[in-house]
Amino acid sequence: MSRPTNRAETTGFPGRLKAVRQALKQKGLDCLLVASPENVRYLLGFTGSSSWAFVSADDAVLATDSRYAEQARCQVQFGRVCVTERGLIDFAARHAAEKGVRTLGFEPNILSFSTCRAIEARIAEPCIDRRIVPAEGIVEALRAVKDDAELALIQAAATLADRVYVHACSLIRCGMTERQLALEIEKWLRENGSGPLPFSVIVTSGPNAALPHAEPTDREFAQGEPIVMDLGATTGGYCSDFTRTVFLGEPEGSLGDVYHTVLAAQQEAIRGIRAGMRAPDADELARSVIRRAGLDAAFGHGLGHGVGLAIHESPTVSGRSTDVLLEGMVFTVEPGVYLPQQGGVRIEDTVVLRDGVVQSLTCAQKRDPVIPLRRTD
Ligand code: ZN
Ligand code: ZN
């Protein structure tokens, strides 16, 4: 446990707390109970678990138990640390009473129904109309737009993804299994500086590639088949997300054409997305290319998702999203086409909106997906 040495992790906290306070004022809340570990980390820099933050106009508190007391005192520089003796629910009630909080906002997508009911029961006092009210997305909206320090961390995680992809391509050969390749990728990432991986590496081959998020199996790679690798790294808690599809030798059947359709769709989106664009319009840039090829029924998921402290966060880039893409947002552009029993293709890059346009943070080549067959095995 040490004081964070990376200045990048501490520079933004006062600005973030200020922005939360503005949102509280607008929504008529006296205090926000922050329970999401990523949101707690974003606001106060604390990286442990089992902790809640309480932000009000004149105060920011990290409430945690004795296991995390020392770590919290080292990491939290712009708020108070309170060590709870009777648990977080008890602390929430006492904090609300001490601070004269009347409306306590909570994250309805994070706190369980039973926890909310328990807090509600504890904060009730005769003669005082004290309420706990849902306040969704306050911190998530701030997190969606990254500052330079966050971008540097995501860029480092993106570069690790690019590099492990090159390493993975050097290993792929007939007879290697999905599970073996996934394990090699995970090992390389951890040995070369990634923090805990944001998700288990996905490697699918042949017909398995038709399943967007299948777990790697003992299936062996064979000539002409697609191999989809979906992987990410973390640096300082920030994630990257990256997918490439390759073929071991020249692609079989129609999947080579599908590859170029998916690539064209992704490039259309990367070229066309602008700051200020509605998310459904961004999704449509890629989807229209896939529709023109008659494959839109095989592109079942949205175009992308925000990436940051969490692997899936705001904004949602899909046809149903109400989000608007803003300067400084980091998200994925990941069209895919999945043909049952045949296979699938997905190409994914983590990108940022900078100077109004898309700039890719993952940059590994995708023009040529063919890995030459090796004669050595
Ligand atoms: Zn991915
Ligand atoms: Zn993704």
Side-chain angles (χ1 to χ4, degrees), residues 21 122 179 195 209 266 368:
R21 288 174 177 135
R122 293 292 306 275
R179 205 189 303 270
Q266 199 218 21
D368 179 11

Side-chain angles (χ1 to χ4, degrees), residues 199 202 213 229-232 240-243 305 311-312 332 334 346 348 350:
F199 57 94
I202 295 168
H213 275 183
M229 290 170 267
D230 188 345
L231 56 96
S240 59
D241 193 1
F242 168 89
T243 306
H305 53 86
I311 190 67
H312 291 118
T332 65
E334 51 174 311
R346 180 167 65 260
E348 172 180 32
T350 298

Side-chain angles (χ1 to χ4, degrees), residues 121-136:
R122 293 292 306 275
I123 65 173
E125 265 181 53
C127 314
I128 300 177
D129 176 25
R130 183 172 290 135
R131 294 180 304 138
I132 171 165
V133 295
E136 194 168 355

Side-chain angles (χ1 to χ4, degrees), residues 255-327:
L255 284 170
D257 294 336
V258 169
Y259 183 89
H260 289 287
T261 299
V262 173
L263 181 58
Q266 199 218 21
Q267 287 175 329
E268 186 71 15
I270 286 175
R271 270 196 302 266
I273 292 174
R274 292 284 179 276
M277 188 177 264
R278 294 168 56 251
D281 296 336
D283 180 276
E284 179 59 21
L285 285 171
R287 201 165 298 277
S288 61
V289 174
I290 291 174
R291 190 182 300 118
R292 280 199 295 277
L295 292 166
D296 47 322
F299 176 20
H301 55 73
L303 181 64
H305 53 86
V307 174
L309 285 170
I311 190 67
H312 291 118
E313 58 179 54
S314 214
T316 299
V317 190
S318 76
R320 291 186 304 276
S321 173
T322 55
D323 293 339
V324 173
L325 302 177
L326 302 175
E327 178 79 7

Side-chain angles (χ1 to χ4, degrees), residues 14 24 52 59 68 99 106-107 124 155 166 192 208-209 224 240 257:
L24 291 179
W52 290 349
D59 201 10
Y68 287 115
K99 301 287 295 184
F106 71 96
E107 300 164 319
Q155 177 66 75
V166 172
N192 286 274
N208 291 353
S240 59
D257 294 336

